[in-house]
Structure formats: C-alpha cells, structure tokens
C-alpha cells in the first residue's frame, strides 16, 4: 500500500509539479493590468509563491495570503512576504493596486477588499467552459466553477473586462500527473486516499501520449473589476 504523503511532500509536489501550470493565466492577467515597477499586488491563495515571483520579476511589490502552512513555508523559503489566511489580511498595510484570487470564497474576498485602493483592480479567475476543460472531467466532474460575474456584483464592484487563457496541464508521465493533481487539494476529502489515487491514475490513461507524457488541455476564465 502506498503511504499517505505528508503535507510537506504534497506541498512540494504543488511547488515542483503543479504550480507552473497556471503561469499562462498569471502572465495574461499581469499583461492585461500592465503590472510593473511600484505596483502593489495582493494574491489570495498564493500557494508556494510562484505568482508573487512572477509579479516581483516585473518590479511589483507582491504580498501573498496562503492558508496551507506547508505551502506558506515554501513560499517564505523563496524570501517572499506570505501571510496566513484571512482575516489576517493586513488592511492597514494597504492600499494595494491589485488583488488576484483564484476561485475565492465570498467571505474571503470580502475580508480582503478593504485592502485594495479605490479604483484598484480585482481579478477573479476560475475554470472556463466545461467542454473546454479536461481536468474537471478527469476528476469526475470536479467542483463547478463560480459565477465570477455574480461574485463581482455581490461585492459591489464595477466590472472592467474579462478574458480566457489556455492553460494546458502537461506532465512527464502518469505518476507526475497523479502527484500534481493530488497536490491541488481536490481529493483531500476522499474516504480512501489510496483508492482515489488508483482511480485517478486509471482516468489519466486515455490522455497519455505515445512517449508516456500526459496532456490535459484547459481554458481558464478571469474577470476584472474595480473597487468603488
């Protein structure tokens, strides 16, 4: 029986395998907002800190919020400013010019918004159309994407555009794909983790290429809103 990975190993799988899959989304958003020197960015759910590093590479001052202590520790190893989950978002440390969040809980978003300056950008992202996303199908349906436009409206923000980004999940082999997808946390509630791992590996076989690599194309959607 395969031993259950420790939280630290799972976090490292996220940092070393999975986190890079979302680079096209981050880069598209940063291009759209023209993130650059002097901009202050707050990222909810920053994982092991890759979106912060990408923003810092453009000259921005980036702060992350991450609930998972193992991922947060890895981000801090990269000498990044990463805080615990809200309500620890330092409103007094604002104002931020932009906030980025992937599939945020409404309450989490509401706690973070006071830290964004008036007129600042808020970018919310989630899975795109089901027919354009392979991973949710592999996951047996996966969580339904949020209605981002409704979330913007409920938060009292002003819509300011949207976009779609192609984010393929590519892995060297099935083992790497299983480890990467398990690191997302989408299987954390499985009654039998070993069985979930086995079923995931079987579900990935149709997406194997002749060289053993696994290719899972996906589209992500983001919306931009402005704080009133």
């Amino acid at each position: 029986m395969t031993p259950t990975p420790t939280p630290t190993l799972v976090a490292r799988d996220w940092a070393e395998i999975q986190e890079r899959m979302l680079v096209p989304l981050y880069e598209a958003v940063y291009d759209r907002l023209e993130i650059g020197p002097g901009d202050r960015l707050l990222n909810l759910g920053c994982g092991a800190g890759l979106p912060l590093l990408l923003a810092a590479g453009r000259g921005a001052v980036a702060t992350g919020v991450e609930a998972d202590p193992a991922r947060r520790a890895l981000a801090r190893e990269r000498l990044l400013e990463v805080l615990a989950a809200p309500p620890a978002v330092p409103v007094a440390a604002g104002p931020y010019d932009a906030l980025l969040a992937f599939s945020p809980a409404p309450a989490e978003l509401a706690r973070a918004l006071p830290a964004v300056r008036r007129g600042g950008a808020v970018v919310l992202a989630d899975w795109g159309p089901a027919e354009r996303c392979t991973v949710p199908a592999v996951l047996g349906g996966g969580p339904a994407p949020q209605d981002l436009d409704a979330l913007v409206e409920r938060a009292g923000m002003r819509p300011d555009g949207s976009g779609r980004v192609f984010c393929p999940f590519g892995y060297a082999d099935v083992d790497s794909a299983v480890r990467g997808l398990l690191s997302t946390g989408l299987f954390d509630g499985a009654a039998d983790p070993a069985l979930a791992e086995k079923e995931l590996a079987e579900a990935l076989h149709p997406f194997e290429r002749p060289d053993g690599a696994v290719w899972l194309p996906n589209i992500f959607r983001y919306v931009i809103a402005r704080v009133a």
Side-chain angles (χ1 to χ4, degrees):
M1 179 181 296
T2 303
T4 301
T6 65
T8 298
L9 287 177
V10 172
R12 288 204 175 274
D13 282 343
W14 171 263
E16 296 171 4
I17 300 174
Q18 191 62 35
E19 193 171 32
R20 61 185 172 82
M21 307 300 176
L22 296 178
V23 166
L25 174 63
Y26 300 137
E27 294 285 21
V29 167
Y30 294 163
D31 285 345
R32 181 80 175 261
L33 296 181
E34 298 182 337
I35 294 295
D39 288 332
R40 301 192 66 199
L41 173 73
L42 178 64
N43 181 204
L44 300 185
C46 68
L50 183 55
L52 306 184
L53 286 172
L54 294 173
R58 293 168 175 255
V61 178
T63 299
V65 178
E66 176 54 52
D68 182 84
R71 291 186 185 185
R72 194 164 63 243
L74 288 176
R76 286 173 174 166
E77 285 181 11
R78 293 167 163 173
L79 303 178
L80 299 173
E81 184 179 357
V82 182
L83 310 163
V89 173
V91 176
Y96 293 97
D97 300 298
L99 181 150
L100 174 63
F102 184 86
S103 192
E108 179 186 34
L109 178 62
R111 285 192 292 262
L113 282 179
V116 184
R117 66 171 174 80
R118 185 174 182 179
V122 175
V123 183
L124 308 178
D126 212 326
W127 298 100
E131 67 276 10
R132 302 290 302 279
C133 294
T134 307
V135 169
V138 171
L139 300 181
Q146 292 194 67
D147 184 338
L148 300 177
D149 301 290
L151 191 56
V152 166
E153 183 178 359
R154 287 197 301 271
M157 294 185 289
R158 173 172 56 85
D160 192 29
S162 64
R164 293 183 179 184
V165 183
F166 180 55
C167 289
F169 288 10
Y171 307 92
D173 49 39
V174 169
D175 178 67
S176 295
V178 168
R179 289 167 54 201
L181 291 171
L182 288 177
S183 75
T184 63
L186 295 173
F187 292 86
D188 288 354
D192 186 340
L195 179 60
E197 183 176 343
K198 178 177 180 294
E199 291 178 344
L200 177 56
E202 292 174 351
L204 287 168
H205 285 306
F207 302 95
E208 279 188 89
R209 293 185 165 186
D211 62 357
V214 175
W215 186 253
L216 303 170
N218 303 286
I219 295 288
F220 286 87
R221 180 175 184 261
Y222 66 87
V223 299
I224 300 174
R226 297 286 172 175
V227 175

Short mmCIF file of all heavy atoms in Angstrom, two decimals, residues 18-28 102 125-127 132-135 164-171 215-222:
data_model
loop_
_atom_site.label_atom_id
_atom_site.label_comp_id
_atom_site.label_asym_id
_atom_site.label_seq_id
_atom_site.Cartn_x
_atom_site.Cartn_y
_atom_site.Cartn_z
N GLN A 18 2.88 21.15 -10.03
CA GLN A 18 1.58 21.68 -10.43
C GLN A 18 1.51 23.20 -10.60
O GLN A 18 0.82 23.70 -11.48
CB GLN A 18 0.53 21.24 -9.40
CG GLN A 18 -0.90 21.50 -9.81
CD GLN A 18 -1.29 20.73 -11.06
OE1 GLN A 18 -0.83 19.61 -11.27
NE2 GLN A 18 -2.13 21.31 -11.89
N GLU A 19 2.23 23.92 -9.76
CA GLU A 19 2.06 25.37 -9.70
C GLU A 19 2.32 26.05 -11.05
O GLU A 19 1.65 27.01 -11.41
CB GLU A 19 2.98 25.93 -8.62
CG GLU A 19 2.69 27.35 -8.22
CD GLU A 19 3.49 27.78 -7.00
OE1 GLU A 19 4.63 27.29 -6.82
OE2 GLU A 19 2.99 28.60 -6.22
N ARG A 20 3.29 25.53 -11.78
CA ARG A 20 3.67 26.17 -13.06
C ARG A 20 2.59 26.08 -14.12
O ARG A 20 2.61 26.81 -15.11
CB ARG A 20 4.95 25.52 -13.60
CG ARG A 20 4.80 24.03 -13.87
CD ARG A 20 6.13 23.40 -14.30
NE ARG A 20 6.05 21.96 -14.39
CZ ARG A 20 5.56 21.30 -15.43
NH1 ARG A 20 5.11 21.97 -16.48
NH2 ARG A 20 5.53 19.98 -15.43
N MET A 21 1.60 25.18 -13.92
CA MET A 21 0.54 25.01 -14.92
C MET A 21 -0.29 26.29 -15.10
O MET A 21 -0.92 26.49 -16.14
CB MET A 21 -0.38 23.85 -14.56
CG MET A 21 0.32 22.54 -14.29
SD MET A 21 1.25 21.93 -15.71
CE MET A 21 2.01 20.47 -15.00
N LEU A 22 -0.29 27.13 -14.07
CA LEU A 22 -1.11 28.35 -14.12
C LEU A 22 -0.32 29.58 -14.56
O LEU A 22 -0.87 30.69 -14.56
CB LEU A 22 -1.76 28.59 -12.75
CG LEU A 22 -2.76 27.53 -12.31
CD1 LEU A 22 -3.28 27.85 -10.91
CD2 LEU A 22 -3.91 27.40 -13.28
N VAL A 23 0.94 29.39 -14.96
CA VAL A 23 1.75 30.54 -15.38
C VAL A 23 1.09 31.31 -16.53
O VAL A 23 1.07 32.55 -16.51
CB VAL A 23 3.17 30.09 -15.76
CG1 VAL A 23 3.91 31.19 -16.51
CG2 VAL A 23 3.95 29.73 -14.50
N PRO A 24 0.52 30.65 -17.56
CA PRO A 24 -0.11 31.44 -18.63
C PRO A 24 -1.22 32.35 -18.13
O PRO A 24 -1.40 33.46 -18.64
CB PRO A 24 -0.66 30.36 -19.58
CG PRO A 24 0.21 29.18 -19.35
CD PRO A 24 0.51 29.21 -17.88
N LEU A 25 -1.97 31.89 -17.11
CA LEU A 25 -3.04 32.72 -16.54
C LEU A 25 -2.44 33.93 -15.83
O LEU A 25 -2.89 35.07 -16.07
CB LEU A 25 -3.86 31.88 -15.56
CG LEU A 25 -4.92 32.64 -14.76
CD1 LEU A 25 -5.99 33.23 -15.68
CD2 LEU A 25 -5.57 31.71 -13.71
N TYR A 26 -1.45 33.71 -14.99
CA TYR A 26 -0.84 34.83 -14.28
C TYR A 26 -0.24 35.85 -15.25
O TYR A 26 -0.43 37.06 -15.09
CB TYR A 26 0.25 34.34 -13.32
CG TYR A 26 -0.23 33.37 -12.27
CD1 TYR A 26 0.51 32.23 -11.95
CD2 TYR A 26 -1.42 33.59 -11.58
CE1 TYR A 26 0.08 31.34 -10.98
CE2 TYR A 26 -1.86 32.70 -10.62
CZ TYR A 26 -1.11 31.58 -10.32
OH TYR A 26 -1.54 30.69 -9.37
N GLU A 27 0.48 35.36 -16.24
CA GLU A 27 1.13 36.26 -17.17
C GLU A 27 0.10 37.06 -17.98
O GLU A 27 0.30 38.26 -18.23
CB GLU A 27 2.05 35.48 -18.12
CG GLU A 27 3.24 34.82 -17.43
CD GLU A 27 4.33 35.79 -17.04
OE1 GLU A 27 4.07 37.00 -16.93
OE2 GLU A 27 5.48 35.33 -16.83
N ALA A 28 -0.99 36.41 -18.38
CA ALA A 28 -2.02 37.11 -19.14
C ALA A 28 -2.66 38.21 -18.31
O ALA A 28 -2.91 39.32 -18.79
CB ALA A 28 -3.09 36.13 -19.62
N PHE A 102 -7.95 33.13 -7.15
CA PHE A 102 -8.50 32.02 -7.94
C PHE A 102 -9.60 31.36 -7.13
O PHE A 102 -9.37 30.86 -6.03
CB PHE A 102 -7.41 31.01 -8.26
CG PHE A 102 -7.89 29.88 -9.14
CD1 PHE A 102 -7.89 30.02 -10.53
CD2 PHE A 102 -8.36 28.71 -8.60
CE1 PHE A 102 -8.35 29.00 -11.34
CE2 PHE A 102 -8.82 27.68 -9.41
CZ PHE A 102 -8.82 27.83 -10.78
N ALA A 125 -10.54 34.50 -10.95
CA ALA A 125 -10.37 33.50 -12.01
C ALA A 125 -10.92 32.15 -11.57
O ALA A 125 -11.00 31.85 -10.37
CB ALA A 125 -8.89 33.36 -12.37
N ASP A 126 -11.29 31.35 -12.56
CA ASP A 126 -11.81 30.01 -12.28
C ASP A 126 -11.76 29.21 -13.58
O ASP A 126 -11.37 29.73 -14.63
CB ASP A 126 -13.23 30.07 -11.72
CG ASP A 126 -13.53 28.93 -10.75
OD1 ASP A 126 -12.99 27.82 -10.96
OD2 ASP A 126 -14.28 29.14 -9.79
N TRP A 127 -12.17 27.94 -13.51
CA TRP A 127 -12.24 27.11 -14.71
C TRP A 127 -13.16 27.75 -15.73
O TRP A 127 -14.13 28.42 -15.40
CB TRP A 127 -12.78 25.73 -14.36
CG TRP A 127 -11.94 24.94 -13.42
CD1 TRP A 127 -12.14 24.79 -12.08
CD2 TRP A 127 -10.75 24.20 -13.74
NE1 TRP A 127 -11.15 24.00 -11.55
CE2 TRP A 127 -10.28 23.62 -12.54
CE3 TRP A 127 -10.05 23.98 -14.93
CZ2 TRP A 127 -9.14 22.83 -12.49
CZ3 TRP A 127 -8.90 23.19 -14.89
CH2 TRP A 127 -8.46 22.62 -13.68
N ARG A 132 -14.41 22.82 -22.51
CA ARG A 132 -13.05 23.23 -22.89
C ARG A 132 -12.04 22.87 -21.80
O ARG A 132 -10.87 23.24 -21.92
CB ARG A 132 -13.02 24.74 -23.14
CG ARG A 132 -13.96 25.25 -24.21
CD ARG A 132 -13.53 24.81 -25.59
NE ARG A 132 -12.18 25.26 -25.92
CZ ARG A 132 -11.89 26.50 -26.34
NH1 ARG A 132 -12.86 27.42 -26.46
NH2 ARG A 132 -10.66 26.83 -26.64
N CYS A 133 -12.47 22.18 -20.76
CA CYS A 133 -11.59 21.86 -19.64
C CYS A 133 -11.50 20.35 -19.46
O CYS A 133 -12.51 19.70 -19.18
CB CYS A 133 -12.09 22.50 -18.35
SG CYS A 133 -12.00 24.30 -18.36
N THR A 134 -10.32 19.80 -19.59
CA THR A 134 -10.12 18.37 -19.45
C THR A 134 -10.05 17.93 -17.99
O THR A 134 -10.59 16.89 -17.62
CB THR A 134 -8.82 17.94 -20.15
OG1 THR A 134 -8.84 18.42 -21.49
CG2 THR A 134 -8.67 16.43 -20.16
N VAL A 135 -9.39 18.71 -17.15
CA VAL A 135 -9.13 18.27 -15.78
C VAL A 135 -10.41 17.99 -14.99
O VAL A 135 -10.51 16.96 -14.33
CB VAL A 135 -8.24 19.30 -15.05
CG1 VAL A 135 -8.19 19.00 -13.56
CG2 VAL A 135 -6.83 19.26 -15.63
N ARG A 164 -10.10 34.89 -21.44
CA ARG A 164 -9.90 33.44 -21.33
C ARG A 164 -8.45 33.12 -21.67
O ARG A 164 -7.87 33.76 -22.55
CB ARG A 164 -10.85 32.69 -22.26
CG ARG A 164 -12.31 32.81 -21.85
CD ARG A 164 -13.20 31.98 -22.77
NE ARG A 164 -14.60 32.05 -22.38
CZ ARG A 164 -15.58 31.37 -22.96
NH1 ARG A 164 -15.30 30.56 -23.98
NH2 ARG A 164 -16.82 31.50 -22.54
N VAL A 165 -7.90 32.13 -20.98
CA VAL A 165 -6.50 31.78 -21.15
C VAL A 165 -6.37 30.27 -21.28
O VAL A 165 -6.96 29.51 -20.50
CB VAL A 165 -5.65 32.27 -19.96
CG1 VAL A 165 -4.17 31.95 -20.19
CG2 VAL A 165 -5.83 33.76 -19.73
N PHE A 166 -5.59 29.84 -22.26
CA PHE A 166 -5.33 28.41 -22.45
C PHE A 166 -4.23 27.98 -21.48
O PHE A 166 -3.12 28.51 -21.52
CB PHE A 166 -4.88 28.16 -23.89
CG PHE A 166 -4.58 26.73 -24.21
CD1 PHE A 166 -5.51 25.73 -23.98
CD2 PHE A 166 -3.35 26.39 -24.77
CE1 PHE A 166 -5.23 24.41 -24.30
CE2 PHE A 166 -3.06 25.07 -25.09
CZ PHE A 166 -4.01 24.08 -24.85
N CYS A 167 -4.56 27.06 -20.58
CA CYS A 167 -3.60 26.57 -19.58
C CYS A 167 -3.55 25.04 -19.64
O CYS A 167 -4.22 24.36 -18.86
CB CYS A 167 -4.00 27.00 -18.17
SG CYS A 167 -3.79 28.75 -17.81
N PRO A 168 -2.77 24.48 -20.54
CA PRO A 168 -2.67 23.03 -20.58
C PRO A 168 -1.88 22.50 -19.38
O PRO A 168 -0.90 23.13 -18.95
CB PRO A 168 -1.91 22.78 -21.89
CG PRO A 168 -1.10 24.01 -22.09
CD PRO A 168 -1.92 25.14 -21.54
N PHE A 169 -2.32 21.39 -18.83
CA PHE A 169 -1.59 20.72 -17.76
C PHE A 169 -0.79 19.60 -18.43
O PHE A 169 -1.37 18.61 -18.88
CB PHE A 169 -2.54 20.14 -16.72
CG PHE A 169 -3.22 21.16 -15.85
CD1 PHE A 169 -3.16 22.52 -16.12
CD2 PHE A 169 -3.93 20.76 -14.72
CE1 PHE A 169 -3.79 23.46 -15.31
CE2 PHE A 169 -4.57 21.68 -13.92
CZ PHE A 169 -4.51 23.03 -14.20
N GLY A 170 0.52 19.74 -18.50
CA GLY A 170 1.36 18.75 -19.14
C GLY A 170 2.31 18.11 -18.13
O GLY A 170 2.93 18.80 -17.33
N TYR A 171 2.39 16.79 -18.16
CA TYR A 171 3.21 16.05 -17.20
C TYR A 171 4.11 15.06 -17.94
O TYR A 171 3.75 14.55 -19.00
CB TYR A 171 2.33 15.28 -16.21
CG TYR A 171 1.29 16.12 -15.52
CD1 TYR A 171 0.01 16.25 -16.05
CD2 TYR A 171 1.58 16.79 -14.34
CE1 TYR A 171 -0.95 17.02 -15.41
CE2 TYR A 171 0.62 17.57 -13.70
CZ TYR A 171 -0.65 17.68 -14.24
OH TYR A 171 -1.61 18.45 -13.62
N TRP A 215 -1.20 14.89 -21.27
CA TRP A 215 -1.54 16.24 -21.75
C TRP A 215 -3.02 16.49 -21.49
O TRP A 215 -3.88 15.79 -22.01
CB TRP A 215 -1.23 16.35 -23.23
CG TRP A 215 -1.40 17.71 -23.82
CD1 TRP A 215 -2.40 18.12 -24.65
CD2 TRP A 215 -0.55 18.85 -23.64
NE1 TRP A 215 -2.22 19.45 -25.01
CE2 TRP A 215 -1.10 19.91 -24.39
CE3 TRP A 215 0.61 19.07 -22.90
CZ2 TRP A 215 -0.51 21.18 -24.43
CZ3 TRP A 215 1.19 20.32 -22.94
CH2 TRP A 215 0.64 21.36 -23.70
N LEU A 216 -3.30 17.51 -20.67
CA LEU A 216 -4.67 17.84 -20.29
C LEU A 216 -4.95 19.31 -20.63
O LEU A 216 -4.63 20.20 -19.83
CB LEU A 216 -4.89 17.60 -18.79
CG LEU A 216 -4.60 16.19 -18.26
CD1 LEU A 216 -4.62 16.18 -16.74
CD2 LEU A 216 -5.60 15.20 -18.82
N PRO A 217 -5.52 19.60 -21.78
CA PRO A 217 -5.80 21.00 -22.15
C PRO A 217 -6.96 21.58 -21.33
O PRO A 217 -7.93 20.88 -21.02
CB PRO A 217 -6.15 20.92 -23.64
CG PRO A 217 -6.56 19.51 -23.87
CD PRO A 217 -5.85 18.66 -22.86
N ASN A 218 -6.84 22.85 -20.98
CA ASN A 218 -7.87 23.54 -20.21
C ASN A 218 -7.95 25.00 -20.62
O ASN A 218 -6.96 25.58 -21.07
CB ASN A 218 -7.55 23.51 -18.70
CG ASN A 218 -7.38 22.12 -18.17
OD1 ASN A 218 -8.34 21.38 -18.00
ND2 ASN A 218 -6.14 21.74 -17.92
N ILE A 219 -9.11 25.57 -20.41
CA ILE A 219 -9.31 27.01 -20.57
C ILE A 219 -9.73 27.58 -19.21
O ILE A 219 -10.60 27.03 -18.54
CB ILE A 219 -10.42 27.32 -21.60
CG1 ILE A 219 -9.99 26.87 -22.99
CG2 ILE A 219 -10.76 28.82 -21.59
CD1 ILE A 219 -8.90 27.71 -23.64
N PHE A 220 -9.08 28.66 -18.80
CA PHE A 220 -9.47 29.36 -17.59
C PHE A 220 -10.08 30.72 -17.96
O PHE A 220 -9.66 31.33 -18.95
CB PHE A 220 -8.29 29.55 -16.65
CG PHE A 220 -7.87 28.30 -15.96
CD1 PHE A 220 -6.98 27.43 -16.55
CD2 PHE A 220 -8.38 27.98 -14.72
CE1 PHE A 220 -6.60 26.25 -15.92
CE2 PHE A 220 -8.02 26.81 -14.07
CZ PHE A 220 -7.12 25.94 -14.68
N ARG A 221 -11.03 31.16 -17.18
CA ARG A 221 -11.65 32.46 -17.40
C ARG A 221 -11.34 33.38 -16.23
O ARG A 221 -11.30 32.93 -15.07
CB ARG A 221 -13.17 32.33 -17.53
CG ARG A 221 -13.89 33.66 -17.76
CD ARG A 221 -15.37 33.49 -18.02
NE ARG A 221 -16.00 34.78 -18.32
CZ ARG A 221 -16.68 35.50 -17.44
NH1 ARG A 221 -16.85 35.07 -16.19
NH2 ARG A 221 -17.19 36.69 -17.78
N TYR A 222 -11.09 34.64 -16.54
CA TYR A 222 -10.89 35.62 -15.46
C TYR A 222 -11.77 36.84 -15.74
O TYR A 222 -12.12 37.12 -16.90
CB TYR A 222 -9.42 36.03 -15.34
CG TYR A 222 -8.86 36.80 -16.51
CD1 TYR A 222 -8.99 38.19 -16.58
CD2 TYR A 222 -8.19 36.16 -17.55
CE1 TYR A 222 -8.48 38.92 -17.65
CE2 TYR A 222 -7.68 36.87 -18.62
CZ TYR A 222 -7.83 38.25 -18.66
OH TYR A 222 -7.34 38.97 -19.72
#
